[in-house]
PDB file of all heavy atoms in Angstrom:
ATOM      1  N   HIS I 130      -6.437   5.490  41.793  1.00 97.00           N
ATOM      2  CA  HIS I 130      -6.203   4.833  43.079  1.00 97.00           C
ATOM      3  C   HIS I 130      -6.080   3.319  42.915  1.00 97.00           C
ATOM      4  O   HIS I 130      -6.590   2.746  41.961  1.00 97.00           O
ATOM      5  CB  HIS I 130      -7.338   5.165  44.038  1.00 97.00           C
ATOM      6  CG  HIS I 130      -8.679   4.772  43.487  1.00 97.00           C
ATOM      7  ND1 HIS I 130      -9.337   5.536  42.548  1.00 97.00           N
ATOM      8  CD2 HIS I 130      -9.434   3.678  43.701  1.00 97.00           C
ATOM      9  CE1 HIS I 130     -10.468   4.928  42.233  1.00 97.00           C
ATOM     10  NE2 HIS I 130     -10.548   3.805  42.909  1.00 97.00           N
ATOM     11  N   GLY I 131      -5.413   2.709  43.876  1.00 97.00           N
ATOM     12  CA  GLY I 131      -5.307   1.247  43.883  1.00 97.00           C
ATOM     13  C   GLY I 131      -4.060   0.756  43.181  1.00 97.00           C
ATOM     14  O   GLY I 131      -3.365   1.507  42.500  1.00 97.00           O
ATOM     15  N   ASP I 132      -3.785  -0.537  43.347  1.00 97.00           N
ATOM     16  CA  ASP I 132      -2.585  -1.151  42.770  1.00 97.00           C
ATOM     17  C   ASP I 132      -2.875  -1.631  41.354  1.00 97.00           C
ATOM     18  O   ASP I 132      -3.348  -2.754  41.178  1.00 97.00           O
ATOM     19  CB  ASP I 132      -2.167  -2.352  43.635  1.00 97.00           C
ATOM     20  CG  ASP I 132      -1.247  -1.919  44.757  1.00 97.00           C
ATOM     21  OD1 ASP I 132      -0.285  -1.184  44.478  1.00 97.00           O
ATOM     22  OD2 ASP I 132      -1.496  -2.322  45.909  1.00 97.00           O
ATOM     23  N   TYR I 133      -2.617  -0.793  40.393  1.00 98.00           N
ATOM     24  CA  TYR I 133      -2.809  -1.244  39.009  1.00 98.00           C
ATOM     25  C   TYR I 133      -1.857  -0.498  38.095  1.00 98.00           C
ATOM     26  O   TYR I 133      -1.323   0.556  38.452  1.00 98.00           O
ATOM     27  CB  TYR I 133      -4.263  -1.024  38.546  1.00 98.00           C
ATOM     28  CG  TYR I 133      -4.584   0.414  38.200  1.00 98.00           C
ATOM     29  CD1 TYR I 133      -4.494   0.858  36.881  1.00 98.00           C
ATOM     30  CD2 TYR I 133      -4.963   1.321  39.169  1.00 98.00           C
ATOM     31  CE1 TYR I 133      -4.759   2.183  36.552  1.00 98.00           C
ATOM     32  CE2 TYR I 133      -5.238   2.645  38.848  1.00 98.00           C
ATOM     33  CZ  TYR I 133      -5.132   3.076  37.538  1.00 98.00           C
ATOM     34  OH  TYR I 133      -5.394   4.385  37.221  1.00 98.00           O
ATOM     35  N   HIS I 134      -1.621  -1.062  36.928  1.00 97.00           N
ATOM     36  CA  HIS I 134      -0.853  -0.404  35.872  1.00 97.00           C
ATOM     37  C   HIS I 134      -1.575  -0.593  34.553  1.00 97.00           C
ATOM     38  O   HIS I 134      -1.927  -1.722  34.223  1.00 97.00           O
ATOM     39  CB  HIS I 134       0.514  -1.083  35.668  1.00 97.00           C
ATOM     40  CG  HIS I 134       1.427  -0.991  36.822  1.00 97.00           C
ATOM     41  ND1 HIS I 134       2.190   0.101  37.083  1.00 97.00           N
ATOM     42  CD2 HIS I 134       1.724  -1.900  37.776  1.00 97.00           C
ATOM     43  CE1 HIS I 134       2.926  -0.124  38.159  1.00 97.00           C
ATOM     44  NE2 HIS I 134       2.655  -1.333  38.605  1.00 97.00           N
ATOM     45  N   PRO I 135      -1.747   0.460  33.766  1.00 98.00           N
ATOM     46  CA  PRO I 135      -2.078   0.199  32.368  1.00 98.00           C
ATOM     47  C   PRO I 135      -0.790  -0.197  31.637  1.00 98.00           C
ATOM     48  O   PRO I 135       0.307   0.128  32.120  1.00 98.00           O
ATOM     49  CB  PRO I 135      -2.596   1.552  31.861  1.00 98.00           C
ATOM     50  CG  PRO I 135      -2.064   2.576  32.795  1.00 98.00           C
ATOM     51  CD  PRO I 135      -1.636   1.886  34.068  1.00 98.00           C
ATOM     52  N   ILE I 136      -0.913  -0.877  30.515  1.00 98.00           N
ATOM     53  CA  ILE I 136       0.252  -1.083  29.645  1.00 98.00           C
ATOM     54  C   ILE I 136       0.458   0.231  28.900  1.00 98.00           C
ATOM     55  O   ILE I 136      -0.489   0.775  28.345  1.00 98.00           O
ATOM     56  CB  ILE I 136      -0.008  -2.233  28.651  1.00 98.00           C
ATOM     57  CG1 ILE I 136      -0.158  -3.553  29.421  1.00 98.00           C
ATOM     58  CG2 ILE I 136       1.092  -2.321  27.603  1.00 98.00           C
ATOM     59  CD1 ILE I 136      -0.598  -4.722  28.562  1.00 98.00           C
ATOM     60  N   VAL I 137       1.674   0.773  28.923  1.00 98.00           N
ATOM     61  CA  VAL I 137       1.895   2.103  28.353  1.00 98.00           C
ATOM     62  C   VAL I 137       2.916   2.045  27.215  1.00 98.00           C
ATOM     63  O   VAL I 137       4.072   1.651  27.430  1.00 98.00           O
ATOM     64  CB  VAL I 137       2.375   3.108  29.423  1.00 98.00           C
ATOM     65  CG1 VAL I 137       2.434   4.516  28.824  1.00 98.00           C
ATOM     66  CG2 VAL I 137       1.450   3.092  30.638  1.00 98.00           C
ATOM     67  N   LEU I 138       2.482   2.422  26.021  1.00 98.00           N
ATOM     68  CA  LEU I 138       3.325   2.373  24.832  1.00 98.00           C
ATOM     69  C   LEU I 138       3.667   3.799  24.407  1.00 98.00           C
ATOM     70  O   LEU I 138       2.791   4.668  24.371  1.00 98.00           O
ATOM     71  CB  LEU I 138       2.582   1.657  23.699  1.00 98.00           C
ATOM     72  CG  LEU I 138       2.034   0.262  24.071  1.00 98.00           C
ATOM     73  CD1 LEU I 138       1.065  -0.232  23.002  1.00 98.00           C
ATOM     74  CD2 LEU I 138       3.174  -0.724  24.234  1.00 98.00           C
ATOM     75  N   ALA I 139       4.949   4.018  24.082  1.00 98.00           N
ATOM     76  CA  ALA I 139       5.412   5.386  23.804  1.00 98.00           C
ATOM     77  C   ALA I 139       6.039   5.484  22.416  1.00 98.00           C
ATOM     78  O   ALA I 139       7.229   5.212  22.242  1.00 98.00           O
ATOM     79  CB  ALA I 139       6.425   5.813  24.867  1.00 98.00           C
ATOM     80  N   PRO I 140       5.246   5.870  21.405  1.00 98.00           N
ATOM     81  CA  PRO I 140       5.784   5.951  20.036  1.00 98.00           C
ATOM     82  C   PRO I 140       6.722   7.140  19.848  1.00 98.00           C
ATOM     83  O   PRO I 140       6.589   8.156  20.522  1.00 98.00           O
ATOM     84  CB  PRO I 140       4.529   6.135  19.182  1.00 98.00           C
ATOM     85  CG  PRO I 140       3.541   6.796  20.098  1.00 98.00           C
ATOM     86  CD  PRO I 140       3.840   6.257  21.474  1.00 98.00           C
ATOM     87  N   SER I 141       7.669   6.980  18.899  1.00 97.00           N
ATOM     88  CA  SER I 141       8.562   8.110  18.608  1.00 97.00           C
ATOM     89  C   SER I 141       8.442   8.569  17.164  1.00 97.00           C
ATOM     90  O   SER I 141       9.189   9.428  16.719  1.00 97.00           O
ATOM     91  CB  SER I 141      10.009   7.754  18.945  1.00 97.00           C
ATOM     92  OG  SER I 141      10.558   6.977  17.934  1.00 97.00           O
ATOM     93  N   SER I 142       7.515   7.988  16.422  1.00 97.00           N
ATOM     94  CA  SER I 142       7.241   8.470  15.065  1.00 97.00           C
ATOM     95  C   SER I 142       5.772   8.213  14.771  1.00 97.00           C
ATOM     96  O   SER I 142       5.111   7.456  15.493  1.00 97.00           O
ATOM     97  CB  SER I 142       8.101   7.738  14.027  1.00 97.00           C
ATOM     98  OG  SER I 142       7.687   6.392  13.922  1.00 97.00           O
ATOM     99  N   VAL I 143       5.278   8.831  13.706  1.00 97.00           N
ATOM    100  CA  VAL I 143       3.876   8.632  13.351  1.00 97.00           C
ATOM    101  C   VAL I 143       3.651   7.172  12.950  1.00 97.00           C
ATOM    102  O   VAL I 143       2.667   6.547  13.350  1.00 97.00           O
ATOM    103  CB  VAL I 143       3.454   9.612  12.238  1.00 97.00           C
ATOM    104  CG1 VAL I 143       2.032   9.334  11.792  1.00 97.00           C
ATOM    105  CG2 VAL I 143       3.573  11.057  12.718  1.00 97.00           C
ATOM    106  N   GLN I 144       4.615   6.604  12.195  1.00 97.00           N
ATOM    107  CA  GLN I 144       4.473   5.204  11.800  1.00 97.00           C
ATOM    108  C   GLN I 144       4.425   4.294  13.022  1.00 97.00           C
ATOM    109  O   GLN I 144       3.608   3.372  13.104  1.00 97.00           O
ATOM    110  CB  GLN I 144       5.646   4.781  10.894  1.00 97.00           C
ATOM    111  CG  GLN I 144       5.558   3.330  10.418  1.00 97.00           C
ATOM    112  CD  GLN I 144       4.382   3.108   9.471  1.00 97.00           C
ATOM    113  OE1 GLN I 144       4.244   3.777   8.465  1.00 97.00           O
ATOM    114  NE2 GLN I 144       3.489   2.176   9.814  1.00 97.00           N
ATOM    115  N   GLU I 145       5.288   4.557  13.980  1.00 97.00           N
ATOM    116  CA  GLU I 145       5.301   3.699  15.171  1.00 97.00           C
ATOM    117  C   GLU I 145       4.006   3.863  15.967  1.00 97.00           C
ATOM    118  O   GLU I 145       3.490   2.893  16.533  1.00 97.00           O
ATOM    119  CB  GLU I 145       6.511   4.013  16.059  1.00 97.00           C
ATOM    120  CG  GLU I 145       6.693   2.957  17.136  1.00 97.00           C
ATOM    121  CD  GLU I 145       7.927   3.184  17.995  1.00 97.00           C
ATOM    122  OE1 GLU I 145       8.248   4.340  18.331  1.00 97.00           O
ATOM    123  OE2 GLU I 145       8.574   2.185  18.337  1.00 97.00           O
ATOM    124  N   ALA I 146       3.460   5.084  15.991  1.00 98.00           N
ATOM    125  CA  ALA I 146       2.186   5.304  16.683  1.00 98.00           C
ATOM    126  C   ALA I 146       1.099   4.436  16.058  1.00 98.00           C
ATOM    127  O   ALA I 146       0.269   3.841  16.757  1.00 98.00           O
ATOM    128  CB  ALA I 146       1.803   6.779  16.636  1.00 98.00           C
ATOM    129  N   VAL I 147       1.111   4.359  14.729  1.00 97.00           N
ATOM    130  CA  VAL I 147       0.132   3.541  14.012  1.00 97.00           C
ATOM    131  C   VAL I 147       0.306   2.063  14.382  1.00 97.00           C
ATOM    132  O   VAL I 147      -0.651   1.362  14.705  1.00 97.00           O
ATOM    133  CB  VAL I 147       0.293   3.753  12.484  1.00 97.00           C
ATOM    134  CG1 VAL I 147      -0.376   2.647  11.693  1.00 97.00           C
ATOM    135  CG2 VAL I 147      -0.252   5.120  12.090  1.00 97.00           C
ATOM    136  N   ASP I 148       1.553   1.601  14.349  1.00 97.00           N
ATOM    137  CA  ASP I 148       1.808   0.185  14.637  1.00 97.00           C
ATOM    138  C   ASP I 148       1.465  -0.150  16.089  1.00 97.00           C
ATOM    139  O   ASP I 148       0.913  -1.215  16.376  1.00 97.00           O
ATOM    140  CB  ASP I 148       3.273  -0.159  14.339  1.00 97.00           C
ATOM    141  CG  ASP I 148       3.589   0.010  12.850  1.00 97.00           C
ATOM    142  OD1 ASP I 148       2.644  -0.061  12.037  1.00 97.00           O
ATOM    143  OD2 ASP I 148       4.767   0.218  12.507  1.00 97.00           O
TER     144      ASP I 148
END
Side-chain angles (χ1 to χ4, degrees):
Chain I
H130 57 281
D132 272 312
Y133 77 95
H134 296 278
I136 295 172
V137 187
L138 307 168
S141 79
S142 69
V143 176
Q144 181 67 55
E145 192 177 39
V147 163
D148 296 336

